[in-house]
PDB file of all heavy atoms in Angstrom:
ATOM      1  N   ALA A 217      -4.707   3.852 -20.219  1.00  0.00           N
ATOM      2  CA  ALA A 217      -4.552   2.706 -19.318  1.00  0.00           C
ATOM      3  C   ALA A 217      -5.526   2.771 -18.138  1.00  0.00           C
ATOM      4  O   ALA A 217      -5.984   1.723 -17.630  1.00  0.00           O
ATOM      5  CB  ALA A 217      -3.127   2.621 -18.816  1.00  0.00           C
ATOM      6  N   HIS A 218      -5.829   3.995 -17.680  1.00  0.00           N
ATOM      7  CA  HIS A 218      -6.746   4.139 -16.559  1.00  0.00           C
ATOM      8  C   HIS A 218      -8.150   4.487 -16.953  1.00  0.00           C
ATOM      9  O   HIS A 218      -9.025   4.549 -16.076  1.00  0.00           O
ATOM     10  CB  HIS A 218      -6.164   5.214 -15.618  1.00  0.00           C
ATOM     11  CG  HIS A 218      -4.872   4.865 -14.959  1.00  0.00           C
ATOM     12  ND1 HIS A 218      -3.655   5.326 -15.453  1.00  0.00           N
ATOM     13  CD2 HIS A 218      -4.594   4.052 -13.895  1.00  0.00           C
ATOM     14  CE1 HIS A 218      -2.706   4.847 -14.713  1.00  0.00           C
ATOM     15  NE2 HIS A 218      -3.191   4.090 -13.787  1.00  0.00           N
ATOM     16  N   GLY A 219      -8.376   4.696 -18.249  1.00  0.00           N
ATOM     17  CA  GLY A 219      -9.712   4.937 -18.718  1.00  0.00           C
ATOM     18  C   GLY A 219     -10.345   6.238 -18.286  1.00  0.00           C
ATOM     19  O   GLY A 219     -11.549   6.300 -18.106  1.00  0.00           O
ATOM     20  N   ARG A 220      -9.503   7.300 -18.115  1.00  0.00           N
ATOM     21  CA  ARG A 220     -10.108   8.586 -17.714  1.00  0.00           C
ATOM     22  C   ARG A 220      -9.197   9.736 -18.161  1.00  0.00           C
ATOM     23  O   ARG A 220      -7.968   9.620 -18.246  1.00  0.00           O
ATOM     24  CB  ARG A 220     -10.313   8.621 -16.213  1.00  0.00           C
ATOM     25  CG  ARG A 220      -9.046   8.693 -15.372  1.00  0.00           C
ATOM     26  CD  ARG A 220      -9.420   8.674 -13.886  1.00  0.00           C
ATOM     27  NE  ARG A 220      -8.292   9.083 -13.064  1.00  0.00           N
ATOM     28  CZ  ARG A 220      -8.267   8.995 -11.741  1.00  0.00           C
ATOM     29  NH1 ARG A 220      -9.372   8.559 -11.128  1.00  0.00           N
ATOM     30  NH2 ARG A 220      -7.241   9.415 -11.061  1.00  0.00           N
ATOM     31  N   LEU A 221      -9.866  10.860 -18.400  1.00  0.00           N
ATOM     32  CA  LEU A 221      -9.150  12.097 -18.766  1.00  0.00           C
ATOM     33  C   LEU A 221      -8.633  12.763 -17.532  1.00  0.00           C
ATOM     34  O   LEU A 221      -9.196  12.668 -16.460  1.00  0.00           O
ATOM     35  CB  LEU A 221     -10.075  13.055 -19.482  1.00  0.00           C
ATOM     36  CG  LEU A 221     -10.507  12.727 -20.915  1.00  0.00           C
ATOM     37  CD1 LEU A 221     -11.563  13.694 -21.377  1.00  0.00           C
ATOM     38  CD2 LEU A 221      -9.309  12.749 -21.876  1.00  0.00           C
ATOM     39  N   GLY A 222      -7.545  13.548 -17.699  1.00  0.00           N
ATOM     40  CA  GLY A 222      -7.070  14.365 -16.552  1.00  0.00           C
ATOM     41  C   GLY A 222      -5.664  14.841 -16.831  1.00  0.00           C
ATOM     42  O   GLY A 222      -4.931  14.292 -17.667  1.00  0.00           O
ATOM     43  N   LEU A 223      -5.297  15.920 -16.130  1.00  0.00           N
ATOM     44  CA  LEU A 223      -3.965  16.476 -16.235  1.00  0.00           C
ATOM     45  C   LEU A 223      -2.941  15.625 -15.470  1.00  0.00           C
ATOM     46  O   LEU A 223      -1.767  15.726 -15.711  1.00  0.00           O
ATOM     47  CB  LEU A 223      -3.902  17.886 -15.711  1.00  0.00           C
ATOM     48  CG  LEU A 223      -4.476  18.964 -16.631  1.00  0.00           C
ATOM     49  CD1 LEU A 223      -4.540  20.303 -15.909  1.00  0.00           C
ATOM     50  CD2 LEU A 223      -3.625  19.110 -17.890  1.00  0.00           C
ATOM     51  N   GLU A 224      -3.447  14.788 -14.519  1.00  0.00           N
ATOM     52  CA  GLU A 224      -2.582  13.964 -13.694  1.00  0.00           C
ATOM     53  C   GLU A 224      -3.025  12.464 -13.780  1.00  0.00           C
ATOM     54  O   GLU A 224      -4.191  12.189 -13.919  1.00  0.00           O
ATOM     55  CB  GLU A 224      -2.606  14.349 -12.239  1.00  0.00           C
ATOM     56  CG  GLU A 224      -1.901  15.687 -11.942  1.00  0.00           C
ATOM     57  CD  GLU A 224      -1.793  15.916 -10.445  1.00  0.00           C
ATOM     58  OE1 GLU A 224      -1.963  14.983  -9.631  1.00  0.00           O
ATOM     59  OE2 GLU A 224      -1.495  17.049 -10.002  1.00  0.00           O
ATOM     60  N   SER A 225      -2.047  11.582 -13.658  1.00  0.00           N
ATOM     61  CA  SER A 225      -2.358  10.195 -13.516  1.00  0.00           C
ATOM     62  C   SER A 225      -2.830   9.931 -12.095  1.00  0.00           C
ATOM     63  O   SER A 225      -2.669  10.773 -11.209  1.00  0.00           O
ATOM     64  CB  SER A 225      -1.086   9.369 -13.791  1.00  0.00           C
ATOM     65  OG  SER A 225      -0.164   9.500 -12.733  1.00  0.00           O
ATOM     66  N   PRO A 226      -3.422   8.776 -11.831  1.00  0.00           N
ATOM     67  CA  PRO A 226      -3.852   8.454 -10.450  1.00  0.00           C
ATOM     68  C   PRO A 226      -2.699   8.469  -9.459  1.00  0.00           C
ATOM     69  O   PRO A 226      -2.923   8.709  -8.256  1.00  0.00           O
ATOM     70  CB  PRO A 226      -4.454   7.070 -10.575  1.00  0.00           C
ATOM     71  CG  PRO A 226      -4.931   6.977 -11.969  1.00  0.00           C
ATOM     72  CD  PRO A 226      -3.926   7.740 -12.780  1.00  0.00           C
ATOM     73  N   ALA A 227      -1.476   8.258  -9.909  1.00  0.00           N
ATOM     74  CA  ALA A 227      -0.288   8.303  -9.059  1.00  0.00           C
ATOM     75  C   ALA A 227       0.200   9.716  -8.785  1.00  0.00           C
ATOM     76  O   ALA A 227       1.172   9.922  -8.094  1.00  0.00           O
ATOM     77  CB  ALA A 227       0.822   7.438  -9.628  1.00  0.00           C
ATOM     78  N   GLY A 228      -0.461  10.722  -9.438  1.00  0.00           N
ATOM     79  CA  GLY A 228      -0.072  12.112  -9.190  1.00  0.00           C
ATOM     80  C   GLY A 228       0.969  12.636 -10.146  1.00  0.00           C
ATOM     81  O   GLY A 228       1.496  13.760  -9.926  1.00  0.00           O
ATOM     82  N   ARG A 229       1.228  11.954 -11.245  1.00  0.00           N
ATOM     83  CA  ARG A 229       2.214  12.444 -12.259  1.00  0.00           C
ATOM     84  C   ARG A 229       1.475  13.270 -13.299  1.00  0.00           C
ATOM     85  O   ARG A 229       0.650  12.733 -14.043  1.00  0.00           O
ATOM     86  CB  ARG A 229       2.981  11.292 -12.886  1.00  0.00           C
ATOM     87  CG  ARG A 229       4.095  11.744 -13.839  1.00  0.00           C
ATOM     88  CD  ARG A 229       4.933  10.576 -14.178  1.00  0.00           C
ATOM     89  NE  ARG A 229       6.003  10.935 -15.114  1.00  0.00           N
ATOM     90  CZ  ARG A 229       7.159  11.499 -14.748  1.00  0.00           C
ATOM     91  NH1 ARG A 229       7.352  11.807 -13.484  1.00  0.00           N
ATOM     92  NH2 ARG A 229       8.113  11.722 -15.645  1.00  0.00           N
TER      93      ARG A 229
END
Side-chain angles (χ1 to χ4, degrees):
H218 295 99
R220 70 183 194 186
L221 289 172
L223 284 172
E224 289 189 14
S225 71
R229 185 168 179 80

